[in-house]
Coordinates of all heavy atoms in Angstrom, one line a residue:
M722 N 16.7 -1.6 -30.8 CA 16.0 -1.9 -29.6 C 17.0 -1.8 -28.4 O 18.1 -2.4 -28.5 CB 15.3 -3.2 -29.6 CG 14.5 -3.5 -28.4 SD 13.7 -5.2 -28.5 CE 12.4 -4.9 -29.6
R723 N 16.6 -1.3 -27.3 CA 17.5 -1.2 -26.2 C 17.7 -2.6 -25.5 O 16.7 -3.4 -25.5 CB 17.0 -0.2 -25.1 CG 17.1 1.2 -25.5 CD 16.9 2.1 -24.3 NE 18.1 2.1 -23.4 CZ 18.1 2.8 -22.3 NH1 17.1 3.5 -21.9 NH2 19.2 2.7 -21.6
S724 N 18.8 -2.8 -24.9 CA 19.0 -4.0 -24.1 C 19.8 -3.7 -22.9 O 20.5 -2.7 -22.8 CB 19.7 -5.1 -25.0 OG 20.9 -4.7 -25.4
F725 N 19.6 -4.6 -21.9 CA 20.3 -4.3 -20.6 C 21.0 -5.6 -20.2 O 20.6 -6.7 -20.5 CB 19.2 -4.0 -19.6 CG 18.5 -2.7 -19.9 CD1 17.2 -2.8 -20.4 CD2 19.1 -1.5 -19.8 CE1 16.5 -1.6 -20.7 CE2 18.4 -0.3 -20.2 CZ 17.1 -0.4 -20.6
T726 N 22.1 -5.4 -19.4 CA 22.8 -6.5 -18.9 C 22.3 -6.9 -17.5 O 22.1 -6.1 -16.6 CB 24.3 -6.1 -18.7 OG1 24.8 -5.8 -20.0 CG2 25.1 -7.3 -18.2
I727 N 22.0 -8.2 -17.4 CA 21.5 -8.7 -16.1 C 22.6 -9.6 -15.5 O 23.1 -10.5 -16.2 CB 20.2 -9.5 -16.3 CG1 19.2 -8.5 -16.9 CG2 19.7 -10.2 -15.0 CD1 17.8 -9.1 -17.2
T728 N 22.9 -9.4 -14.3 CA 23.9 -10.2 -13.6 C 23.2 -11.1 -12.5 O 22.4 -10.5 -11.7 CB 25.0 -9.3 -12.9 OG1 25.6 -8.5 -13.9 CG2 26.1 -10.2 -12.3
I729 N 23.5 -12.4 -12.5 CA 22.9 -13.3 -11.5 C 24.0 -13.6 -10.4 O 25.1 -14.0 -10.7 CB 22.5 -14.6 -12.1 CG1 21.5 -14.4 -13.2 CG2 21.9 -15.5 -11.0 CD1 20.1 -13.9 -12.8
L730 N 23.6 -13.3 -9.2 CA 24.5 -13.6 -8.0 C 24.0 -14.8 -7.3 O 22.8 -15.1 -7.3 CB 24.5 -12.4 -7.1 CG 25.1 -11.1 -7.6 CD1 25.0 -10.0 -6.6 CD2 26.5 -11.2 -8.2
P731 N 24.8 -15.6 -6.7 CA 26.3 -15.3 -6.5 C 27.2 -15.8 -7.6 O 28.4 -15.5 -7.6 CB 26.6 -16.2 -5.2 CG 25.6 -17.4 -5.4 CD 24.4 -16.8 -6.0
Q732 N 26.6 -16.4 -8.6 CA 27.5 -17.0 -9.7 C 28.2 -15.9 -10.5 O 29.3 -16.2 -11.1 CB 26.7 -17.9 -10.6 CG 26.2 -19.1 -9.9 CD 24.8 -18.9 -9.3 OE1 24.3 -17.8 -9.2 NE2 24.1 -20.0 -9.0
G733 N 27.6 -14.8 -10.6 CA 28.2 -13.7 -11.5 C 27.9 -13.9 -13.0 O 28.5 -13.3 -13.8
W734 N 26.9 -14.8 -13.3 CA 26.6 -15.0 -14.7 C 25.9 -13.8 -15.2 O 25.1 -13.1 -14.5 CB 25.6 -16.2 -14.8 CG 26.2 -17.5 -14.4 CD1 27.5 -17.9 -14.4 CD2 25.4 -18.7 -14.0 NE1 27.6 -19.2 -14.0 CE2 26.4 -19.7 -13.7 CE3 24.1 -18.9 -13.8 CZ2 26.0 -20.9 -13.3 CZ3 23.7 -20.2 -13.3 CH2 24.7 -21.2 -13.1
Q735 N 26.2 -13.5 -16.5 CA 25.6 -12.3 -17.1 C 24.9 -12.7 -18.4 O 25.4 -13.5 -19.1 CB 26.7 -11.2 -17.3 CG 27.2 -10.6 -16.1 CD 28.1 -9.4 -16.3 OE1 28.9 -9.5 -17.2 NE2 27.9 -8.4 -15.5
F736 N 23.9 -11.9 -18.7 CA 23.2 -12.1 -20.0 C 22.5 -10.8 -20.3 O 22.4 -9.9 -19.5 CB 22.2 -13.3 -20.0 CG 21.2 -13.2 -19.0 CD1 19.9 -12.6 -19.3 CD2 21.4 -13.6 -17.7 CE1 18.9 -12.5 -18.3 CE2 20.4 -13.6 -16.7 CZ 19.2 -13.0 -17.0
T737 N 22.1 -10.7 -21.6 CA 21.5 -9.5 -22.1 C 20.0 -9.7 -22.2 O 19.6 -10.8 -22.7 CB 22.1 -9.1 -23.5 OG1 23.5 -8.9 -23.3 CG2 21.4 -7.9 -24.0
A738 N 19.2 -8.8 -21.8 CA 17.8 -8.8 -21.9 C 17.3 -7.7 -22.9 O 17.7 -6.5 -22.7 CB 17.1 -8.6 -20.6
E739 N 16.6 -8.1 -23.9 CA 16.1 -7.1 -24.8 C 15.0 -6.3 -24.1 O 14.2 -6.9 -23.3 CB 15.6 -7.7 -26.1 CG 16.6 -8.5 -26.9 CD 17.7 -7.6 -27.5 OE1 17.4 -6.4 -27.7 OE2 18.8 -8.2 -27.7
A740 N 14.8 -5.1 -24.4 CA 13.7 -4.3 -23.9 C 12.4 -5.0 -24.2 O 12.2 -5.4 -25.3 CB 13.7 -2.9 -24.4
G741 N 11.6 -5.2 -23.2 CA 10.3 -5.8 -23.4 C 10.2 -7.3 -23.1 O 9.2 -7.9 -23.0
T742 N 11.4 -7.9 -22.9 CA 11.5 -9.4 -22.5 C 11.6 -9.5 -21.0 O 12.4 -8.8 -20.4 CB 12.7 -10.0 -23.2 OG1 12.6 -9.8 -24.6 CG2 12.7 -11.5 -22.9
T743 N 10.8 -10.4 -20.4 CA 10.9 -10.5 -19.0 C 12.2 -11.1 -18.6 O 12.9 -11.7 -19.4 CB 9.8 -11.5 -18.4 OG1 10.0 -12.8 -18.9 CG2 8.4 -11.0 -18.8
V744 N 12.6 -10.8 -17.4 CA 13.9 -11.2 -16.9 C 14.0 -12.8 -16.9 O 15.0 -13.4 -17.3 CB 14.1 -10.7 -15.4 CG1 15.4 -11.3 -14.8 CG2 14.2 -9.2 -15.4
L745 N 12.9 -13.4 -16.5 CA 12.8 -14.9 -16.6 C 13.0 -15.4 -18.0 O 13.8 -16.3 -18.2 CB 11.5 -15.3 -16.0 CG 11.3 -16.9 -15.9 CD1 12.2 -17.4 -14.8 CD2 9.8 -17.2 -15.6
A746 N 12.3 -14.8 -18.9 CA 12.4 -15.3 -20.3 C 13.8 -15.0 -20.9 O 14.4 -15.9 -21.6 CB 11.3 -14.7 -21.2
A747 N 14.3 -13.9 -20.6 CA 15.7 -13.5 -21.1 C 16.7 -14.5 -20.6 O 17.6 -14.9 -21.3 CB 16.0 -12.1 -20.7
A748 N 16.6 -14.9 -19.3 CA 17.5 -15.9 -18.7 C 17.4 -17.2 -19.4 O 18.4 -17.8 -19.8 CB 17.2 -16.0 -17.2
E749 N 16.2 -17.6 -19.7 CA 16.0 -18.9 -20.3 C 16.6 -18.9 -21.7 O 17.0 -20.0 -22.2 CB 14.5 -19.3 -20.3 CG 14.1 -19.6 -18.9 CD 12.6 -19.9 -18.8 OE1 11.8 -19.6 -19.7 OE2 12.2 -20.4 -17.7
L750 N 16.5 -17.8 -22.4 CA 17.0 -17.7 -23.8 C 18.5 -18.0 -23.8 O 19.0 -18.5 -24.9 CB 16.8 -16.4 -24.4 CG 15.3 -16.1 -24.8 CD1 15.2 -14.6 -25.2 CD2 15.0 -17.0 -26.0
V751 N 19.2 -17.8 -22.7 CA 20.7 -18.1 -22.7 C 21.0 -19.3 -21.8 O 22.1 -19.6 -21.5 CB 21.5 -16.9 -22.2 CG1 21.4 -15.7 -23.2 CG2 21.1 -16.5 -20.8
G752 N 19.9 -20.1 -21.5 CA 20.1 -21.4 -20.8 C 20.3 -21.3 -19.3 O 20.8 -22.2 -18.7
I753 N 19.8 -20.2 -18.7 CA 19.9 -20.0 -17.3 C 18.4 -20.1 -16.8 O 17.5 -19.4 -17.3 CB 20.4 -18.6 -16.9 CG1 21.9 -18.6 -17.3 CG2 20.3 -18.4 -15.4 CD1 22.5 -17.2 -17.1
R754 N 18.2 -21.1 -15.9 CA 16.9 -21.3 -15.4 C 16.7 -20.8 -14.0 O 17.4 -21.2 -13.1 CB 16.6 -22.8 -15.4 CG 15.2 -23.2 -15.2 CD 14.9 -24.7 -15.7 NE 15.1 -24.8 -17.1 CZ 14.1 -24.6 -18.0 NH1 12.9 -24.2 -17.5 NH2 14.3 -24.8 -19.2
L755 N 15.8 -19.9 -13.8 CA 15.4 -19.4 -12.5 C 14.2 -20.1 -12.0 O 13.4 -20.6 -12.8 CB 15.1 -17.9 -12.6 CG 16.1 -16.9 -13.2 CD1 15.5 -15.5 -13.2 CD2 17.4 -17.0 -12.5
L756 N 14.2 -20.3 -10.7 CA 13.0 -21.0 -10.1 C 11.7 -20.3 -10.5 O 11.6 -19.0 -10.4 CB 13.2 -20.9 -8.6 CG 12.4 -21.9 -7.8 CD1 12.8 -23.3 -8.1 CD2 12.6 -21.6 -6.3
S757 N 10.8 -21.0 -11.0 CA 9.5 -20.4 -11.4 C 8.4 -21.4 -11.4 O 8.7 -22.6 -11.4 CB 9.6 -19.8 -12.8 OG 9.8 -20.8 -13.8
S758 N 7.2 -21.0 -11.5 CA 6.0 -21.9 -11.6 C 5.0 -21.2 -12.5 O 4.8 -21.6 -13.6 CB 5.5 -22.2 -10.2 OG 4.4 -23.1 -10.3
C759 N 4.2 -20.3 -11.9 CA 3.0 -19.8 -12.7 C 3.4 -18.9 -13.9 O 2.7 -18.9 -14.8 CB 2.1 -19.0 -11.7 SG 2.8 -17.4 -11.3
R760 N 4.5 -18.2 -13.7 CA 5.0 -17.3 -14.8 C 4.0 -16.2 -15.1 O 4.2 -15.5 -16.1 CB 5.3 -18.1 -16.1 CG 6.2 -19.3 -15.8 CD 6.4 -20.1 -17.1 NE 7.2 -19.4 -18.0 CZ 8.5 -19.5 -18.2 NH1 9.1 -20.3 -17.4 NH2 9.1 -18.9 -19.1
N761 N 3.1 -15.9 -14.2 CA 2.2 -14.7 -14.4 C 2.1 -13.8 -13.2 O 1.2 -13.0 -13.1 CB 0.9 -15.2 -14.9 CG 0.1 -16.0 -13.8 OD1 0.5 -16.0 -12.7 ND2 -0.8 -16.8 -14.3
G762 N 3.1 -13.9 -12.3 CA 3.1 -12.9 -11.2 C 2.2 -13.2 -10.0 O 2.0 -12.3 -9.2
T763 N 1.7 -14.4 -9.9 CA 0.8 -14.7 -8.8 C 1.4 -15.7 -7.7 O 1.1 -15.5 -6.6 CB -0.6 -15.3 -9.3 OG1 -0.3 -16.4 -10.0 CG2 -1.3 -14.3 -10.1
C764 N 2.1 -16.7 -8.1 CA 2.5 -17.7 -7.2 C 3.7 -17.3 -6.3 O 3.9 -17.9 -5.2 CB 2.8 -19.0 -7.9 SG 4.4 -19.0 -8.7
R765 N 4.5 -16.4 -6.7 CA 5.6 -15.9 -5.9 C 6.8 -16.9 -5.9 O 7.8 -16.6 -5.1 CB 5.2 -15.4 -4.5 CG 4.2 -14.3 -4.5 CD 3.6 -14.1 -3.2 NE 4.6 -14.0 -2.1 CZ 5.2 -12.9 -1.7 NH1 4.9 -11.8 -2.3 NH2 6.1 -12.9 -0.7
T766 N 6.7 -18.0 -6.6 CA 7.9 -18.9 -6.6 C 9.2 -18.3 -7.0 O 10.2 -18.6 -6.5 CB 7.5 -20.1 -7.6 OG1 6.4 -20.7 -7.1 CG2 8.7 -21.1 -7.6
C767 N 9.1 -17.3 -7.9 CA 10.3 -16.8 -8.5 C 10.9 -15.6 -7.8 O 11.9 -15.0 -8.1 CB 10.0 -16.3 -10.0 SG 8.8 -15.0 -10.1
I768 N 10.2 -15.2 -6.7 CA 10.6 -13.9 -6.0 C 12.1 -14.0 -5.7 O 12.7 -15.0 -5.2 CB 9.8 -13.7 -4.7 CG1 10.0 -12.3 -4.2 CG2 10.1 -14.8 -3.7 CD1 9.0 -11.9 -3.1
C769 N 12.8 -12.9 -5.9 CA 14.2 -12.8 -5.6 C 14.6 -11.3 -5.3 O 13.8 -10.4 -5.7 CB 15.1 -13.4 -6.7 SG 15.0 -12.6 -8.3
H770 N 15.7 -11.1 -4.7 CA 16.2 -9.8 -4.4 C 17.0 -9.2 -5.5 O 17.8 -9.9 -6.2 CB 17.1 -9.9 -3.1 CG 17.3 -8.6 -2.5 ND1 18.6 -8.0 -2.4 CD2 16.5 -7.6 -2.0 CE1 18.5 -6.8 -1.8 NE2 17.2 -6.6 -1.6
M771 N 16.7 -7.9 -5.7 CA 17.4 -7.2 -6.8 C 18.2 -6.0 -6.1 O 17.7 -5.0 -5.8 CB 16.4 -6.6 -7.8 CG 17.0 -5.8 -8.9 SD 15.8 -5.1 -10.0 CE 15.1 -3.8 -9.0
P772 N 19.5 -6.3 -5.8 CA 20.3 -5.3 -5.1 C 20.4 -4.0 -5.9 O 20.6 -2.9 -5.4 CB 21.6 -5.9 -4.9 CG 21.4 -7.4 -5.0 CD 20.2 -7.5 -6.0
E773 N 20.5 -4.1 -7.2 CA 20.7 -3.0 -8.1 C 19.8 -3.1 -9.3 O 19.7 -4.2 -9.9 CB 22.1 -2.9 -8.6 CG 23.2 -2.7 -7.6 CD 24.5 -2.7 -8.3 OE1 24.8 -1.9 -9.2 OE2 25.3 -3.6 -7.9
G774 N 19.3 -2.0 -9.8 CA 18.5 -2.0 -11.0 C 17.1 -1.4 -10.9 O 16.7 -1.1 -9.8
K775 N 16.5 -1.3 -12.1 CA 15.2 -0.7 -12.2 C 14.4 -1.6 -13.1 O 14.9 -2.0 -14.2 CB 15.3 0.7 -12.7 CG 14.0 1.5 -12.8 CD 14.3 2.9 -13.1 CE 13.1 3.8 -13.1 NZ 12.1 3.6 -14.1
I776 N 13.2 -2.0 -12.7 CA 12.3 -2.8 -13.5 C 10.9 -2.2 -13.6 O 10.6 -1.3 -12.8 CB 12.2 -4.2 -13.0 CG1 11.7 -4.3 -11.5 CG2 13.5 -5.0 -13.1 CD1 10.3 -4.7 -11.4
R777 N 10.2 -2.7 -14.6 CA 8.7 -2.4 -14.6 C 8.0 -3.7 -14.7 O 8.6 -4.7 -15.2 CB 8.3 -1.5 -15.7 CG 8.5 -2.1 -17.1 CD 7.9 -1.1 -18.1 NE 8.3 -1.6 -19.5 CZ 7.6 -2.6 -20.1 NH1 6.6 -3.2 -19.6 NH2 8.0 -3.0 -21.3
Y778 N 6.8 -3.8 -14.3 CA 6.0 -5.0 -14.4 C 5.1 -5.1 -15.6 O 4.6 -4.0 -16.0 CB 5.2 -5.2 -13.1 CG 6.0 -5.7 -12.0 CD1 6.3 -4.8 -10.9 CD2 6.6 -6.9 -11.9 CE1 7.1 -5.2 -9.8 CE2 7.4 -7.4 -10.9 CZ 7.7 -6.5 -9.9 OH 8.5 -6.9 -8.8
T779 N 4.9 -6.3 -16.1 CA 4.1 -6.5 -17.3 C 2.6 -6.7 -16.9 O 1.8 -6.8 -17.8 CB 4.6 -7.7 -18.2 OG1 4.5 -8.8 -17.3 CG2 6.0 -7.5 -18.7
V780 N 2.4 -6.8 -15.6 CA 1.0 -7.0 -15.1 C 0.7 -5.9 -14.1 O 1.6 -5.3 -13.5 CB 0.8 -8.4 -14.5 CG1 0.9 -9.5 -15.5 CG2 1.7 -8.6 -13.3
D781 N -0.6 -5.5 -14.0 CA -0.9 -4.4 -13.1 C -0.7 -4.7 -11.6 O -0.4 -3.9 -10.8 CB -2.4 -4.0 -13.3 CG -2.5 -3.3 -14.7 OD1 -1.5 -2.8 -15.2 OD2 -3.7 -3.3 -15.2
W782 N -1.0 -6.0 -11.2 CA -1.0 -6.3 -9.8 C -0.1 -7.5 -9.6 O -0.6 -8.6 -9.2 CB -2.4 -6.6 -9.3 CG -3.3 -5.4 -9.5 CD1 -4.2 -5.2 -10.4 CD2 -3.3 -4.2 -8.7 NE1 -4.8 -4.0 -10.3 CE2 -4.3 -3.4 -9.2 CE3 -2.5 -3.8 -7.6 CZ2 -4.5 -2.1 -8.7 CZ3 -2.8 -2.6 -7.0 CH2 -3.8 -1.7 -7.6
P783 N 1.2 -7.4 -9.7 CA 2.1 -8.5 -9.4 C 2.0 -8.9 -7.9 O 1.7 -8.0 -7.1 CB 3.5 -8.0 -9.7 CG 3.4 -6.5 -9.7 CD 2.0 -6.2 -10.1
G784 N 2.2 -10.1 -7.6 CA 1.9 -10.6 -6.2 C 3.1 -10.3 -5.3 O 3.7 -11.2 -4.7
I785 N 3.3 -9.0 -5.1 CA 4.4 -8.6 -4.2 C 4.0 -7.4 -3.5 O 3.3 -6.5 -4.0 CB 5.7 -8.3 -5.1 CG1 6.9 -8.2 -4.3 CG2 5.5 -7.1 -6.1 CD1 8.2 -8.3 -5.1
S786 N 4.3 -7.3 -2.2 CA 3.8 -6.3 -1.3 C 4.6 -5.0 -1.5 O 5.7 -5.0 -1.9 CB 3.8 -6.7 0.1 OG 5.2 -6.7 0.6
P787 N 4.0 -3.8 -1.1 CA 4.8 -2.6 -1.1 C 6.1 -2.7 -0.3 O 7.1 -2.1 -0.7 CB 3.8 -1.6 -0.6 CG 2.4 -2.1 -0.9 CD 2.6 -3.6 -0.7
D788 N 6.0 -3.3 0.8 CA 7.2 -3.4 1.7 C 8.3 -4.3 1.0 O 9.5 -3.9 1.0 CB 6.9 -4.1 3.0 CG 6.2 -3.1 4.0 OD1 6.2 -1.9 3.7 OD2 5.7 -3.6 5.0
E789 N 7.8 -5.3 0.3 CA 8.8 -6.2 -0.4 C 9.4 -5.4 -1.6 O 10.6 -5.5 -1.8 CB 8.1 -7.4 -1.0 CG 7.8 -8.4 0.1 CD 6.9 -9.6 -0.4 OE1 6.1 -9.3 -1.3 OE2 7.0 -10.6 0.2
R790 N 8.6 -4.6 -2.2 CA 9.2 -3.7 -3.3 C 10.2 -2.8 -2.8 O 11.3 -2.6 -3.3 CB 8.1 -2.9 -4.0 CG 7.1 -3.7 -4.8 CD 6.2 -2.7 -5.6 NE 5.0 -3.4 -6.1 CZ 4.5 -3.2 -7.3 NH1 5.0 -2.3 -8.0 NH2 3.4 -3.8 -7.7
L791 N 9.9 -2.1 -1.6 CA 10.8 -1.2 -1.0 C 12.1 -1.9 -0.6 O 13.2 -1.3 -0.6 CB 10.2 -0.5 0.2 CG 9.2 0.6 -0.1 CD1 8.5 1.1 1.2 CD2 9.8 1.7 -0.9
D792 N 12.0 -3.2 -0.2 CA 13.2 -3.9 0.2 C 14.0 -4.5 -0.9 O 15.0 -5.1 -0.8 CB 12.8 -5.1 1.2 CG 12.3 -4.6 2.5 OD1 12.7 -3.4 2.9 OD2 11.7 -5.4 3.3
G793 N 13.5 -4.2 -2.1 CA 14.2 -4.6 -3.3 C 13.9 -6.0 -3.9 O 14.6 -6.5 -4.7
Y794 N 12.7 -6.6 -3.5 CA 12.4 -7.9 -4.1 C 11.6 -7.7 -5.3 O 10.8 -6.7 -5.5 CB 11.5 -8.7 -3.0 CG 12.4 -9.2 -1.9 CD1 12.6 -8.4 -0.8 CD2 13.1 -10.4 -2.1 CE1 13.5 -8.9 0.2 CE2 13.9 -10.9 -1.1 CZ 14.1 -10.1 0.0 OH 15.0 -10.6 1.0
I795 N 11.7 -8.6 -6.3 CA 11.0 -8.5 -7.5 C 10.5 -9.9 -7.9 O 11.0 -10.9 -7.4 CB 11.8 -7.9 -8.7 CG1 12.9 -8.9 -9.1 CG2 12.4 -6.6 -8.3 CD1 13.5 -8.6 -10.5
L796 N 9.6 -9.9 -8.9 CA 9.1 -11.2 -9.5 C 9.6 -11.2 -10.9 O 9.0 -10.6 -11.8 CB 7.6 -11.3 -9.4 CG 6.9 -11.2 -8.0 CD1 5.4 -11.2 -8.2 CD2 7.4 -12.5 -7.2
P797 N 10.7 -11.9 -11.2 CA 11.3 -11.9 -12.5 C 10.4 -12.4 -13.6 O 10.6 -12.1 -14.8 CB 12.6 -12.7 -12.4 CG 12.5 -13.4 -11.1 CD 11.5 -12.7 -10.2
C798 N 9.4 -13.2 -13.3 CA 8.6 -13.7 -14.4 C 7.7 -12.6 -15.1 O 7.2 -12.8 -16.2 CB 7.7 -14.9 -13.9 SG 6.4 -14.4 -12.8
V799 N 7.5 -11.5 -14.3 CA 6.7 -10.5 -14.9 C 7.4 -9.1 -14.8 O 6.8 -8.1 -14.9 CB 5.3 -10.3 -14.2 CG1 4.4 -11.5 -14.7 CG2 5.4 -10.3 -12.7
A800 N 8.7 -9.2 -14.7 CA 9.5 -8.0 -14.6 C 10.4 -7.8 -15.9 O 11.0 -8.7 -16.4 CB 10.5 -8.1 -13.4
V801 N 10.3 -6.6 -16.4 CA 11.1 -6.2 -17.5 C 12.2 -5.2 -17.1 O 11.9 -4.2 -16.4 CB 10.2 -5.6 -18.6 CG1 11.0 -5.0 -19.8 CG2 9.2 -6.7 -19.1
A802 N 13.4 -5.4 -17.5 CA 14.5 -4.5 -17.1 C 14.3 -3.2 -17.7 O 14.0 -3.0 -18.9 CB 15.9 -5.1 -17.5
E803 N 14.6 -2.1 -16.9 CA 14.6 -0.8 -17.5 C 16.0 -0.2 -17.2 O 16.2 1.0 -17.4 CB 13.5 0.1 -16.8 CG 12.2 -0.4 -17.2 CD 11.1 0.7 -17.2 OE1 11.1 1.5 -16.2 OE2 10.3 0.8 -18.1
S804 N 16.9 -1.0 -16.7 CA 18.3 -0.6 -16.6 C 19.1 -1.9 -16.5 O 18.5 -3.0 -16.4 CB 18.5 0.3 -15.3 OG 18.4 -0.6 -14.1
D805 N 20.4 -1.8 -16.5 CA 21.2 -3.0 -16.1 C 20.8 -3.3 -14.7 O 20.5 -2.4 -13.9 CB 22.7 -2.6 -16.1 CG 23.2 -2.4 -17.5 OD1 22.5 -2.7 -18.5 OD2 24.4 -1.9 -17.7
L806 N 20.8 -4.6 -14.4 CA 20.4 -5.0 -13.0 C 21.1 -6.2 -12.5 O 21.6 -7.0 -13.3 CB 18.9 -5.1 -12.9 CG 18.1 -6.0 -13.8 CD1 18.0 -7.4 -13.2 CD2 16.7 -5.4 -14.1
T807 N 21.1 -6.3 -11.2 CA 21.7 -7.5 -10.5 C 20.7 -8.2 -9.7 O 19.9 -7.5 -9.0 CB 22.8 -7.0 -9.6 OG1 23.8 -6.2 -10.4 CG2 23.5 -8.1 -8.9
L808 N 20.6 -9.5 -9.8 CA 19.7 -10.3 -9.0 C 20.4 -11.3 -8.1 O 21.3 -12.0 -8.6 CB 18.8 -11.1 -10.0 CG 17.8 -10.4 -10.9 CD1 17.0 -11.4 -11.6 CD2 16.9 -9.5 -10.1
Q809 N 19.8 -11.4 -6.9 CA 20.3 -12.5 -6.0 C 19.2 -13.6 -6.2 O 18.1 -13.5 -5.6 CB 20.3 -12.0 -4.6 CG 20.9 -12.9 -3.6 CD 22.4 -12.8 -3.6 OE1 23.0 -11.8 -3.6 NE2 23.1 -14.0 -3.5
A810 N 19.4 -14.5 -7.1 CA 18.4 -15.5 -7.4 C 18.5 -16.7 -6.4 O 19.5 -17.1 -6.0 CB 18.6 -16.0 -8.8
R811 N 17.3 -17.2 -6.1 CA 17.2 -18.3 -5.1 C 17.7 -19.6 -5.7 O 18.2 -20.5 -5.0 CB 15.8 -18.5 -4.6 CG 15.4 -17.4 -3.7 CD 14.2 -17.7 -2.9 NE 13.1 -18.0 -3.8 CZ 11.9 -18.6 -3.4 NH1 11.8 -19.0 -2.2 NH2 11.0 -18.9 -4.2
A812 N 17.4 -19.9 -7.0 CA 17.8 -21.1 -7.6 C 18.1 -20.9 -9.0 O 17.3 -20.4 -9.8 CB 16.8 -22.2 -7.4
V813 N 19.3 -21.3 -9.4 CA 19.7 -21.0 -10.8 C 20.5 -22.2 -11.3 O 21.3 -22.8 -10.5 CB 20.6 -19.8 -10.9 CG1 21.1 -19.6 -12.3 CG2 19.9 -18.6 -10.4
R814 N 20.3 -22.7 -12.4 CA 21.2 -23.7 -13.0 C 21.2 -23.5 -14.5 O 20.3 -23.1 -15.1 CB 20.8 -25.1 -12.6 CG 19.4 -25.5 -13.2 CD 19.0 -26.9 -12.7 NE 17.6 -27.2 -12.9 CZ 17.1 -27.6 -14.1 NH1 17.9 -27.9 -15.1 NH2 15.9 -27.8 -14.2
R815 N 22.3 -23.9 -15.1 CA 22.5 -23.8 -16.5 C 21.9 -25.0 -17.1 O 22.1 -26.1 -16.6 CB 23.9 -23.6 -16.9 CG 24.4 -22.2 -16.7 CD 25.7 -22.0 -17.5 NE 26.2 -20.7 -17.1 CZ 26.1 -19.7 -18.0 NH1 25.6 -19.8 -19.1 NH2 26.6 -18.5 -17.6
T816 N 21.1 -24.9 -18.1 CA 20.5 -26.1 -18.8 C 21.3 -26.5 -19.9 O 22.1 -25.7 -20.4 CB 19.1 -25.7 -19.2 OG1 19.1 -24.6 -20.0 CG2 18.1 -25.5 -18.1
Ligands
FES1955 S1 6.7 -17.8 -11.3 FE1 4.9 -17.4 -10.2 S2 5.1 -15.3 -9.5 FE2 6.8 -15.7 -10.8

């Protein structure tokens, strides 16, 4: 199974996400907690900027506008990596 390296800025923490695992879930598997609430792409609590990388969504209508997508924002609770990627996360702590 393919996996990708995800880097969290500004800390520079890195972890691996297996193909098909959401970015949020992959982070939690290694003890990194991103800000989240609904975990289904509607509340936007988890929104963060992705300077580099490519993702796809696990839901048809994630709560993010076309402009936000163009500006590089993603919802990691419903985003699956399709390349190595870098995230500027709003709140992160190691559990
Ligand atoms: S946690 Fe609600 S949109 Fe991601």
Side-chain angles (χ1 to χ4, degrees):
M722 183 182 283
R723 287 194 75 183
S724 60
F725 299 105
T726 300
I727 298 178
T728 304
I729 303 290
L730 298 178
Q732 293 90 344
W734 294 338
Q735 290 191 317
F736 58 94
T737 300
E739 301 295 333
T742 304
T743 66
V744 174
L745 183 70
E749 289 176 348
L750 284 173
V751 297
I753 296 174
R754 193 164 290 276
L755 305 181
L756 197 63
S757 67
S758 181
C759 72
R760 307 174 71 94
N761 63 20
T763 56
C764 75
R765 298 167 49 88
T766 300
C767 65
I768 193 168
C769 63
H770 192 241
M771 181 181 70
E773 292 176 61
K775 185 169 185 289
I776 56 106
R777 67 174 170 81
Y778 284 109
T779 59
V780 295
D781 289 338
W782 301 102
I785 192 162
S786 73
D788 281 350
E789 288 169 330
R790 288 188 198 219
L791 284 174
D792 287 343
Y794 287 90
I795 70 162
L796 298 175
C798 69
V799 286
V801 172
E803 293 206 317
S804 72
D805 291 348
L806 54 90
T807 301
L808 292 184
Q809 188 83 42
R811 286 196 303 167
V813 177
R814 65 184 164 84
R815 284 196 184 255
T816 52

